């Protein structure tokens, strides 16, 4: 007897029972469990890969076909359940000495999908290159991707103003240094000896290119450089003393490497507290460690008169490591900020904005911690403030740069620089802020599901 003659009565019977149970269910709720039990029939499942069946079950009344992609079957490369990675929302704000800070034009928000430079940066110090610089005076900065990796690199540099007395614009050195470092980071690993990328080597490459660039006649600069990857670690490089040279030992997995020389520095803010504050490196008061490029004519003059000029090298940078957490805020800035705002001032500005918008929230168990809205605030324009584009990182950068600008022009409010003058020279009548160029780079740290 053909198979179909047996199957047909079974289905007719099932259909009939289903109709009877549907009527019964309207009168008796207990009928629902009986109906469900009758209809729990085994299924035939066929998994297809590239057009060929991999698994098949024939003991079934119904057939369900599932298509599994090659990526879904590649379990060794698939992220583990609950896996996360760190990403960074970065913005900058800046203002040259004697210039107004316009949030609409003096703000930069980094787009990691854009591999171009933050601006058409200078390839040296030619007249056309100078026109393409940001309006940050003698200070400069960059933010950029690290080759084809998921890392980002960023830096601030502060041209040493004393070079003006020798007829040399220190902005040429600072802007060229940042531009060359940016180009080297984007081209990584080309030209690098170590992997992952270390900011100390990035600084070395930028420095060497500036020294070879004939359009940069001379000058000097401090610098603060970092590279952040997706593992959530911050490595910091500082120069301790004129006689101490330290080196970097790579730690795996490398997340964020920070490299600094001079009085440009950074803060790490976490849970409404200053987690770390990089101390300035100086030979004497207001004399920071610095890179220098001295023209030959000046070298000859200094040799005749026995003058020794301060000049450090990238190898003189010292490196430290900091573990990052979701909700951390990093503030990198030139001394135009740190001479006018203390770490506590900067924390107060940032925390008020973060708590007001929900980027940070107060809890009974953990105190202040990252809020659920943190990622949304960094992605969405106009929700974190009225300044610039309104993203959280932009708002924080403008708030800090703007407050530093106001403090520098305030003759009645003594900032860190004025307080240090009074401590060292009690009879000096120095009051108020210190007018200078200002650059701020703000990094909001996010830990997100992969």
């Amino acid at each position: 007897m053909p198979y179909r003659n047996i199957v047909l009565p079974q289905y007719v019977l099932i259909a009939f029972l289903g109709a009877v149970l549907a009527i019964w269910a309207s009168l008796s709720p207990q009928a629902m469990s009986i109906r469900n039990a009758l209809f729990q029939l085994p299924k035939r499942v066929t998994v297809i890969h590239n057009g060929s069946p991999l698994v098949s079950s024939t003991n079934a009344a119904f057939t369900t076909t599932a298509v599994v992609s090659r990526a879904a079957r590649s379990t060794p490369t698939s992220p583990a359940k609950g896996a996360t990675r760190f990403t960074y929302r970065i913005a900058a704000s800046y203002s040259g000495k004697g210039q107004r800070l316009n949030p609409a034009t003096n703000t930069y928000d980094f787009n990691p999908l854009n591999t171009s430079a933050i601006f058409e940066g200078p390839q040296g110090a030619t007249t056309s290159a100078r026109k393409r610089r940001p309006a940050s005076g003698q200070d400069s900065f960059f933010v950029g991707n690290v080759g084809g990796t998921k890392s980002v690199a960023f830096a601030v540099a502060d041209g040493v103003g004393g070079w003006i007395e020798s007829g040399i614009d220190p902005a040429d050195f600072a802007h060229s240094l940042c531009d060359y470092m940016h180009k080297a980071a984007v081209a990584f690993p080309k030209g690098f000896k170590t992997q992952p990328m270390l900011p100390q080597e990035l600084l070395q490459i930028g420095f060497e290119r500036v020294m070879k660039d004939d359009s940069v006649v001379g000058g000097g600069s401090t610098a603060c450089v970092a590279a952040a990857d997706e593992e959530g670690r911050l490595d910091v490089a500082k120069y301790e003393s004129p006689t101490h040279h330290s080196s970097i030992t790579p730690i795996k997995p490398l997340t964020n490497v920070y490299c600094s020389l001079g009085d440009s520095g950074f803060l790490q803010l976490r849970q409404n507290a200053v987690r770390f504050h990089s101390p300035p490196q100086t030979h004497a008061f207001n004399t920071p460690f610095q890179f220098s490029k001295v023209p030959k004519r000046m070298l000859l003059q200094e040799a005749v008169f026995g003058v020794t000029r301060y000049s450090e090298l990238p190898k003189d940078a010292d490196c430290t490591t900091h573990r990052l957490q979701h909700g951390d805020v990093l503030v990198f800035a030139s001394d135009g900020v740190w001479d006018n705002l203390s770490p506590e001032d900067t924390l107060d500005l940032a925390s008020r904005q973060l708590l007001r918008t929900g980027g940070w929230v107060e809890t009974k168990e953990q105190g202040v911690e990252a809020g659920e809205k943190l990622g949304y605030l960094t992605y969405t324009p106009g929700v974190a403030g009225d300044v610039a584009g309104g993203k959280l990182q932009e708002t924080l950068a403008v708030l800090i740069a703007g407050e530093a600008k106001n403090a520098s022009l305030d003759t009645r409010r003594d900032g860190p620089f004025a307080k240090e003058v009074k401590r060292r020279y009690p009879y000096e009548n120095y009051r108020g802020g210190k007018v200078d160029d200002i650059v701020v780079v703000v990094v909001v740290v996010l830990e997100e599901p992969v």
Side-chain angles (χ1 to χ4, degrees):
M1 182 180 293
Y3 177 75
R4 61 178 179 273
N5 292 337
I6 297 176
V7 174
L8 183 58
Q10 292 178 347
Y11 278 94
V12 170
L13 178 61
I14 292 173
F16 175 77
L17 288 175
V20 172
L21 287 173
I23 298 173
W24 184 24
S26 63
L27 301 175
S28 174
Q30 288 79 6
M32 296 299 296
S33 59
I34 299 176
R35 185 185 64 177
N36 291 338
L38 288 173
F39 280 87
Q40 286 181 350
L41 299 176
K43 292 185 178 182
R44 174 179 178 180
V45 179
T46 303
V47 179
I48 299 177
H49 175 66
N50 290 343
S52 302
L54 297 178
V55 180
S56 180
S57 175
T58 57
N59 183 20
F62 301 102
T63 301
T64 301
T65 302
V67 179
V68 180
S69 67
R70 184 183 301 271
R73 295 179 61 250
S74 302
T75 52
T77 59
S78 299
K81 183 178 180 180
T84 61
R85 67 184 180 94
F86 282 83
T87 60
Y88 306 90
R89 303 292 172 261
I90 308 173
S93 186
Y94 46 88
S95 177
K97 183 164 51 179
Q99 301 175 357
R100 291 182 179 274
L101 195 163
N102 185 344
T105 58
N106 292 41
T107 306
Y108 164 76
D109 182 51
F110 173 62
N111 178 4
L113 300 180
N114 183 4
T115 58
S116 64
I118 57 169
F119 52 88
E120 292 294 332
Q123 299 180 30
T126 61
T127 302
S128 60
R130 290 175 178 173
K131 295 180 180 179
R132 298 192 293 268
R133 295 174 181 171
S136 55
Q138 298 168 3
D139 292 0
S140 188
F141 72 99
F142 86 87
V143 186
N145 294 317
V146 178
T149 69
K150 298 185 186 305
S151 301
V152 293
F154 43 92
V156 296
D158 181 1
V160 179
W163 281 93
I164 294 178
E165 299 174 1
S166 301
I168 295 175
D169 184 0
D172 292 344
F173 192 105
H175 284 280
S176 297
L177 178 64
C178 282
D179 183 63
Y180 282 128
M181 285 194 294
H182 176 267
K183 287 180 169 59
V186 171
F188 178 82
K190 182 180 179 181
F192 286 81
K193 298 178 181 178
T194 59
Q195 294 188 34
M197 192 196 76
L198 299 177
Q200 193 174 45
E201 186 176 9
L202 179 63
L203 192 58
Q204 178 68 41
I205 292 174
F207 175 75
E208 290 176 353
R209 293 181 182 179
V210 170
M211 298 301 286
K212 295 177 181 178
D213 189 341
D214 292 336
S215 66
V216 183
V217 177
S221 173
T222 66
C224 182
V225 189
D229 72 10
E230 59 182 348
E231 298 296 335
R233 203 190 75 192
L234 177 72
D235 292 325
V236 182
K238 299 294 290 182
Y239 185 70
E240 298 296 338
S241 69
T243 57
H244 172 71
H245 293 169
S246 61
S247 59
I248 300 176
T249 301
I251 304 176
K252 297 180 180 180
L254 188 65
T255 295
N256 188 303
V257 182
Y258 163 89
C259 181
S260 176
L261 189 138
D263 53 6
S264 295
F266 90 104
L267 291 179
Q268 181 184 10
L269 309 179
R270 176 185 297 169
Q271 296 177 319
N272 205 26
V274 176
R275 175 77 174 181
F276 180 84
H277 173 216
S278 62
Q281 300 105 36
T282 59
H283 293 284
F285 177 63
N286 205 29
T287 308
F289 296 128
Q290 58 198 264
F291 303 116
S292 296
K293 183 177 183 178
V294 185
K296 292 182 180 180
R297 60 176 177 82
M298 292 183 64
L299 287 174
L300 293 175
Q301 293 172 354
E302 292 173 356
V304 170
F305 293 100
V307 176
T308 302
R309 182 179 296 274
Y310 292 122
S311 181
E312 276 71 48
L313 299 173
K315 68 180 181 65
D316 297 325
D318 182 50
C319 300
T320 59
T321 301
H322 307 264
R323 175 64 61 181
L324 299 177
Q325 289 185 10
H326 177 67
D328 283 2
V329 175
L330 311 177
V331 181
F332 289 73
S334 61
D335 66 343
V337 173
W338 308 128
D339 283 342
N340 293 292
L341 297 181
S342 67
E344 292 75 19
D345 294 332
T346 309
L347 172 64
D348 183 59
L349 285 168
S351 63
R352 279 189 292 171
Q353 182 67 18
L354 285 158
L355 289 169
R356 184 182 69 83
T357 57
W360 285 352
V361 294
E362 294 186 78
T363 64
K364 293 181 180 179
E365 297 79 12
Q366 301 294 331
V368 175
E369 60 181 20
E372 294 181 359
K373 292 176 59 179
L374 182 64
Y376 169 74
L377 293 171
T378 63
Y379 282 109
T380 310
V383 296
D386 298 328
V387 298
K391 295 178 184 178
L392 178 61
Q393 60 273 21
E394 294 175 281
T395 302
L396 291 175
V398 171
L399 285 175
I400 295 170
E403 185 65 17
K405 188 77 171 181
N406 291 335
S408 72
L409 301 173
D410 192 335
T411 58
R412 294 178 296 179
R413 171 185 172 184
D414 288 345
F417 183 84
K419 293 176 181 178
E420 187 66 13
V421 171
K422 290 182 178 180
R423 188 183 73 83
R424 292 173 177 265
Y425 311 104
Y427 300 104
E428 286 286 339
N429 187 26
Y430 190 99
R431 294 296 306 275
K434 181 176 180 288
V435 178
D436 203 348
D437 301 315
I438 290 172
V439 161
V440 180
V441 175
V442 169
V443 182
V444 178
V445 180
L446 301 179
E447 186 176 10
E448 301 176 308
V450 175

